[in-house]
Amino acid sequence: MNKVKFFSIAIVALGFSTYAQEVELAKKAIDAEQYEKAKSILKAGIQAKPDNGKIAFLLGNVYLQQSQQDSAKMFFQKGLTAKEFANFNYIGLGQLDLNIGNVDAAQFNFDQATKDIKKKDIEQFVYIGKAFTNAEKPDFKKAIANLTKAKTINPNDAQTQMALGDAYYGDRNQNDAYAAYRNAFEADPTLLKAKMQLGVLLKGAKAFAEAKSAFDGVVAINPNYGPVYRELAETYYQWGANDKTKYKEYTAKALEYYEKYMSLTDYSLASRFRHAEFLILAKDYKALEKEAEAMKKLDKVNPRIFRYLGYALYENGNSDAAIQALTDYTTNPRNKVIGRDYLYLGLAQLKNSTPVPATPETKPVINDVLFQTAVSNFRKAVDLDKPMANDLNEIGKKYFEQKLYKYAAAIYEVATSNPNSKNYLYDNFYLGYALYFDNSDKDVAKVDVVALKKADKAFDNVSIASPTTQDAYIYRARVNSLLQNDALAEEQMAKSYADYIRVVTEKGAIELDKPANKTKFVEAYQNLALHNKKDKVKATEYITKALAIEPTNSDSLNIQKALK
């Protein structure tokens, strides 16, 4: 009887040992971003141990990391029915609540996960901390608060320190993040992610050589640890972006490292998505199109594939197919659309809006309806993501250089809607230019008053941002001179001409002696004389100054004659 009992206990112990080993293998696969391998292990674990809720929780977390929330929820709910460790699944459901912004429901689930735990249990607090860190709308302060509870119980737990490092890193607390990652690796030297993250901190500080050295240290320990090659890829890409002389060389090296990362993970759809994002950064659109087509074969219904396909098709010259792919993506209300999606859709439409290109003798033929549709999508892009305005500068410039001022102005108007754009000053200047030139050769009765008011505001924006930019004043004056029978515009015209004279004069003799400025001074003095014609003394003073610069100028002589 005792032998039978001992044998039964041994079988149970062996089963538990096997289960524990399988879970650890799954955790290592997750850490190595081998998600398909982890899912396979955990699905087998659920079959073997259906009453263990932690396995379902871990599997649900893998799906969460792959942004497959429906599958994650299914396994969390399944885990709640298990006899053991069911409470962990409340944490997974809590993160799903965080992802949709339901903080109260999330906290209720977290409370359910911890209400019956023992005094020395910390794992639940660690996973709750990770949930706050990894949520779509992270709350790093709450993550740190929960992880600090775990740290108080066991300050030497490697997973607690690792999770603290991630939370501090997200909270931009580099010093505490560094200490936590260091402590995690010291507590568990097999936790390569902690050592890798020390290099990530260096990469974030643009200490690229030091970051590479740190990553090389991880490779020396385990050359098959995939995530470190992704970090090397991103380091080389950023390094090249900061050192233009090395850009081509380092981008090529970055792409090599990313391929190495892919080969050591599992070429899952999730890793392919991340690869696609990197190919966009590296501007390797041929490879991006190839990757998107491969993803489409793996999953014909995943909408994000159409995003990458649309980008690649546009960059590779197939604007018709790009419009189709991106229209399919942006019009689906279930998709999480970003500014760049609308930007690329607009770019493809803009390209198709010019079916007949320009020649040296002719201007291009432009489809106004399609052009305005493209501009509308640019506006959506900037509304969603303000930095998208930076990409519009070169587009507007191309139209301006072809003297297509109305079209250039439409692009620049969207670009100037972001006051923090790096091109804000330039874009305002050229918006004003374009609107002025589009109206300068029209009859007075046909000028676009609304457009000229926009031009006035654009030049005003330039002079506010850069008070010494003299041409902003002269062109603002010219804009207002086109607004006939408008007393306020006439006053602004005079003020702007006076400001132009003042700014150039303050710059000194070298600027004053430039022929272009002398010509503009004559223009300014003539217009100021006409503006003050009721005050003959002041008007005569202005026209005398104009004649001192160009004594034979017929317009100045006529104004002088009229003042007598």
Side-chain angles (χ1 to χ4, degrees):
M1 182 70 179
N2 287 337
K3 286 184 179 180
V4 173
K5 185 176 180 181
F6 175 79
F7 184 71
S8 298
I9 292 170
I11 290 292
V12 171
L14 179 63
F16 181 79
S17 174
T18 303
Y19 149 73
Q21 288 172 0
E22 290 296 298
V23 167
E24 285 306 309
L25 280 173
K27 286 181 177 179
K28 287 187 180 298
I30 293 167
D31 180 60
E33 297 178 20
Q34 296 170 334
Y35 297 122
E36 296 307 310
K37 179 180 177 180
K39 287 190 319 196
S40 178
I41 294 169
L42 292 167
K43 284 177 181 178
I46 287 176
Q47 291 293 322
K49 297 277 290 181
D51 288 332
N52 190 297
K54 192 183 289 186
I55 304 175
F57 168 68
L58 291 172
L59 182 55
N61 259 339
V62 176
Y63 280 106
L64 261 186
Q65 286 177 290
Q66 294 183 305
S67 299
Q68 297 179 39
Q69 304 207 36
D70 290 342
S71 296
K73 185 175 183 179
M74 181 184 73
F75 282 106
F76 293 143
Q77 289 176 332
K78 181 181 178 67
L80 282 178
T81 66
K83 293 178 182 177
E84 301 175 299
F85 306 115
N87 63 337
F88 280 87
N89 291 279
Y90 285 113
I91 301 170
L93 292 172
Q95 185 176 335
L96 288 171
D97 288 326
L98 289 178
N99 286 349
I100 60 173
N102 194 338
V103 178
D104 291 337
Q107 191 57 56
F108 173 81
N109 278 312
F110 296 149
D111 291 341
Q112 292 295 106
T114 57
K115 71 177 182 178
D116 294 321
I117 64 173
K118 297 174 183 177
K119 286 185 178 181
K120 291 188 177 181
D121 285 350
I122 64 170
E123 203 171 3
Q124 289 89 341
F125 291 121
V126 172
Y127 279 114
I128 291 170
K130 288 181 177 181
F132 277 113
T133 296
N134 297 328
E136 289 184 16
K137 296 178 181 178
D139 188 332
F140 299 114
K141 301 295 186 191
K142 286 186 178 178
I144 293 165
N146 279 279
L147 292 164
T148 301
K149 292 178 185 177
K151 182 183 174 184
T152 301
I153 298 167
N154 184 355
N156 298 316
D157 180 69
Q159 289 297 330
T160 301
Q161 292 288 349
M162 180 71 220
L164 266 171
D166 290 341
Y168 282 129
Y169 178 62
D171 204 35
R172 298 184 179 181
N173 184 338
Q174 307 288 353
N175 291 336
D176 285 342
Y178 185 91
Y181 288 137
R182 183 195 60 211
N183 293 340
F185 187 67
E186 287 176 356
D188 181 3
T190 69
L191 191 55
L192 290 180
K193 186 180 178 183
K195 184 172 177 62
M196 182 182 78
Q197 287 300 112
L198 295 173
V200 171
L201 291 173
L202 292 166
K203 179 186 72 175
K206 296 187 178 181
F208 301 118
E210 292 82 354
K212 177 189 177 299
S213 179
F215 296 139
D216 287 344
V218 177
V219 173
I221 297 171
N222 182 357
N224 294 316
Y225 184 65
V228 73
Y229 295 103
R230 183 194 64 242
E231 296 300 338
L232 277 163
E234 292 178 1
T235 298
Y236 269 105
Y237 171 74
Q238 291 180 29
W239 203 348
N242 277 268
D243 182 355
K244 299 300 183 185
T245 63
K246 298 278 190 178
Y247 179 78
K248 189 173 181 180
E249 175 191 346
Y250 282 0
T251 300
K253 195 176 284 286
L255 290 167
E256 287 176 19
Y257 274 124
Y258 219 104
E259 290 302 325
K260 179 79 171 175
Y261 160 71
M262 294 291 290
S263 71
L264 289 170
T265 52
D266 46 26
Y267 281 98
S268 67
L269 201 61
S271 62
R272 285 180 180 273
F273 277 132
R274 192 156 184 171
H275 185 211
E277 295 284 354
F278 186 77
L279 290 172
I280 292 168
L281 280 177
K283 295 182 172 60
D284 191 342
Y285 297 106
K286 295 291 185 186
L288 178 63
E289 185 172 349
K290 183 179 177 182
E291 185 69 283
E293 291 292 352
M295 286 192 285
K296 200 161 73 167
K297 290 175 184 175
L298 283 174
D299 187 344
K300 294 181 180 179
V301 298
N302 194 306
R304 279 175 65 195
I305 294 167
F306 291 103
R307 164 186 289 163
Y308 303 125
L309 198 55
Y311 293 4
L313 288 166
Y314 168 75
E315 294 288 354
N316 294 332
N318 190 345
S319 55
D320 288 335
I323 290 170
Q324 185 62 59
L326 289 167
T327 299
D328 288 345
Y329 185 77
T330 56
T331 55
N332 186 336
R334 297 183 63 188
N335 292 341
K336 188 177 180 181
V337 180
I338 61 174
R340 193 161 293 280
D341 300 332
Y342 285 119
L343 177 72
Y344 266 99
L345 177 56
L347 287 170
Q349 291 165 334
L350 202 66
K351 187 173 183 180
N352 278 14
S353 74
T354 312
V356 181
T359 69
E361 295 80 26
T362 64
K363 287 185 177 181
V365 175
I366 295 175
N367 180 325
D368 277 11
V369 174
L370 194 52
F371 177 88
Q372 290 302 327
T373 303
V375 171
S376 174
N377 280 313
F378 291 151
R379 190 169 294 283
K380 290 177 185 176
V382 176
D383 287 344
L384 274 177
D385 186 2
K386 294 298 182 187
M388 290 297 103
N390 296 332
D391 293 83
L392 301 178
N393 178 271
E394 288 298 319
I395 302 169
K397 186 178 179 182
K398 287 177 183 176
Y399 284 96
F400 189 89
E401 288 173 346
Q402 294 178 77
K403 298 185 178 179
L404 298 167
Y405 299 122
K406 177 178 73 172
Y407 300 102
I411 303 294
Y412 283 125
E413 188 172 357
V414 180
T416 56
S417 64
N418 176 20
N420 296 316
S421 167
K422 66 179 181 181
N423 301 312
Y424 183 69
L425 184 68
Y426 180 100
D427 290 340
N428 268 285
F429 211 123
Y430 276 85
L431 172 60
Y433 263 167
L435 292 168
Y436 169 72
F437 287 129
D438 191 48
N439 284 276
S440 61
D441 59 353
K442 294 179 180 178
D443 293 336
V444 172
K446 294 182 180 180
V447 295
D448 187 335
V449 173
V450 173
L452 290 171
K453 294 285 188 183
K454 288 179 182 178
D456 175 77
K457 179 60 179 172
F459 287 124
D460 185 35
N461 289 337
V462 174
S463 59
I464 291 170
S466 179
T468 59
T469 301
Q470 61 213 44
D471 277 0
Y473 299 108
I474 194 86
Y475 274 95
R476 190 177 186 190
R478 290 170 179 175
V479 163
N480 281 281
S481 72
L482 295 176
L483 292 167
Q484 300 290 321
N485 303 316
D486 185 330
L488 289 176
E490 189 172 339
E491 288 299 321
Q492 184 58 60
M493 176 198 70
K495 181 180 182 306
S496 295
Y497 276 127
D499 283 335
Y500 173 78
I501 293 167
R502 172 182 56 79
V503 169
V504 175
T505 302
E506 287 172 354
K507 289 183 179 181
I510 294 175
E511 196 68 27
L512 283 165
D513 287 341
K514 290 179 178 178
N517 284 330
K518 287 184 177 182
T519 301
K520 289 172 185 174
F521 264 63
V522 170
E523 173 191 335
Y525 286 134
Q526 287 173 345
N527 280 279
L528 285 167
L530 291 170
H531 177 71
N532 290 279
K533 60 188 176 184
K534 290 182 180 179
D535 184 342
K536 289 193 174 184
V537 174
K538 185 178 286 188
T540 301
E541 181 182 336
Y542 282 126
I543 207 63
T544 301
K545 289 181 178 180
L547 287 166
I549 299 170
E550 289 183 7
T552 61
N553 185 289
S554 58
D555 289 334
S556 296
L557 290 169
N558 287 333
I559 294 169
Q560 185 186 53
K561 184 177 179 181
L563 289 171
K564 289 181 178 178

